[in-house]
Amino acid sequence: AIVLLALPGVSWSSSCTDSDSDRLCDSVETNTGVFVSVSNTGSNPNLADTDGDAIADGDEVLGPTNGLD
């Protein structure tokens, strides 16, 4: 999937690749297991929920698209 994102402190001049459809560009999913910033999330670009907690990586980093109860 190709998505357009607006992240604080991160800018892209074009669309980015999002292999797992979690709303994070593969380029910021560094697969280290350690969150550093929105441009170095540590998440796996091939798993939408890297830590297996039923919350997509994009929701954890960017906030949910439907708000919180």
Side-chain angles (χ1 to χ4, degrees):
I2 303 293
V3 295
L4 296 175
L5 297 176
L7 299 174
V10 179
S11 63
W12 290 275
S13 58
S14 61
S15 62
C16 67
T17 301
D18 179 16
S19 297
D20 57 6
S21 300
D22 63 358
R23 298 189 302 136
L24 295 175
C25 296
D26 290 352
S27 61
V28 304
E29 293 196 88
T30 54
N31 204 22
T32 62
V34 178
F35 179 85
V36 176
S37 68
V38 295
S39 61
N40 182 354
T41 64
S43 56
N44 184 326
N46 298 305
L47 294 175
D49 180 16
T50 299
D51 59 6
D53 65 356
I55 301 172
D57 297 336
D59 287 349
E60 291 185 292
V61 173
L62 305 171
T65 57
N66 60 348
L68 298 171
D69 289 341

